[in-house]
Amino acid sequence: TCVFDDGYYQALNGWCMKKYDWSFKKEELTFSPGVIPALYQLVEDLVKPYNGKVLTLTPAYGFFLHACEYNDVELVPSPLQKQGGAFRVDWEDFEKKAADPTVRMVMLCNPHNPSGRVWSEEELQKMAEIIEKNDLWVVSDEIHCDFVPPEHPHTTFGLLGEEVLRHSMVCYSSNKGFNLGGLGMATLVLADDDLRCKFNEEMS
């Protein structure tokens, strides 16, 4: 089945409704050969032209750094703090760095890689408030979302409000949860019409 037909949208939207209680519009759906190529392209489109920076929580997935290095963009780390056997956000540090006017994007692993933290809805809402306050874009890499235990349900970034979603790129892939890395495909939900059109042209 062609991934661009209505059947694919119905299947993915149905899965997201069943698993995460989230639905999105068909026209917001787009594709990439993988999450990694999408990271590279989004940094090129949204950060590089403005001599901007990218903020992320560290330790972080290595390709967050590689996507920035490839585009000659600085990656700003906000180190997680280990408390009570779990990694937690240093909110003072994160908010301070998000307020830097040169920072244009937050790269988020949700759930987090490599710590394994499943961010709570409250934590994600707090991140979203900081991101919205500072008018930042956010890439939410949710490729590991189907591995979470029942006692720690996944909250997709797409649930955090229309204004936040408008500046969000929510990335899914069957590579991890369904062991289908050979397909070479990631699915993105891009609510911003101009960005989605530009991204589609670049990926075609």
Side-chain angles (χ1 to χ4, degrees):
T1 302
C2 174
V3 298
F4 296 96
D5 71 9
D6 189 62
Y8 185 84
Y9 166 73
Q10 295 295 340
L12 180 61
N13 191 57
W15 180 262
C16 288
M17 278 293 295
K18 177 182 177 181
K19 298 284 286 186
Y20 318 123
D21 197 28
W22 181 48
S23 180
F24 50 87
K25 300 173 184 175
K26 182 180 178 181
E27 59 266 24
E28 294 174 346
L29 191 62
T30 189
F31 304 92
S32 167
V35 171
I36 292 170
L39 294 175
Y40 279 66
Q41 192 60 58
L42 291 166
V43 172
E44 180 178 330
D45 290 343
L46 298 172
V47 184
K48 185 176 182 178
Y50 307 94
N51 295 315
K53 300 175 184 177
V54 174
L55 173 63
T56 197
L57 300 168
T58 56
Y61 178 49
F63 278 96
F64 284 10
L65 175 60
H66 299 333
C68 291
E69 288 180 332
Y70 179 83
N71 285 292
D72 197 25
V73 162
E74 181 180 345
L75 183 68
V76 178
S78 181
L80 295 171
Q81 298 178 325
K82 197 168 185 182
Q83 300 174 357
F87 285 93
R88 304 191 185 279
V89 179
D90 181 339
W91 292 111
E92 182 178 354
D93 183 75
F94 183 80
E95 187 161 14
K96 178 182 177 181
K97 289 174 178 174
D100 179 344
T102 63
V103 170
R104 289 187 50 86
M105 176 187 286
V106 174
M107 279 190 179
L108 174 68
C109 250
N110 177 32
H112 187 256
N113 177 15
S115 76
R117 265 302 311 276
V118 179
W119 304 118
S120 68
E121 184 174 353
E122 291 75 20
E123 287 173 312
L124 291 169
Q125 191 63 60
K126 190 166 183 176
M127 287 184 209
E129 289 169 3
I130 294 169
I131 287 166
E132 184 177 354
K133 176 183 176 181
N134 293 285
D135 196 28
L136 304 178
W137 294 92
V138 58
V139 177
S140 185
D141 176 1
E142 305 193 6
I143 195 170
H144 295 99
C145 62
D146 292 314
F147 286 129
V148 300
E151 63 271 22
H152 296 291
H154 171 69
T155 300
T156 178
F157 211 81
L159 278 174
L160 302 180
E162 287 298 322
E163 186 60 29
V164 174
L165 181 60
R166 190 172 63 84
H167 281 137
S168 301
M169 293 76 73
V170 182
C171 306
Y172 294 111
S173 176
S174 58
N175 291 8
K176 304 298 183 183
F178 295 91
N179 195 28
L180 294 173
L183 286 179
M185 188 190 79
T187 302
L188 286 76
V189 179
L190 301 184
D192 184 272
D193 293 335
D194 292 338
L195 175 61
R196 188 174 60 256
C197 288
K198 180 176 175 60
F199 186 84
N200 286 338
E201 289 174 1
E202 292 161 339
M203 288 292 119
S204 62

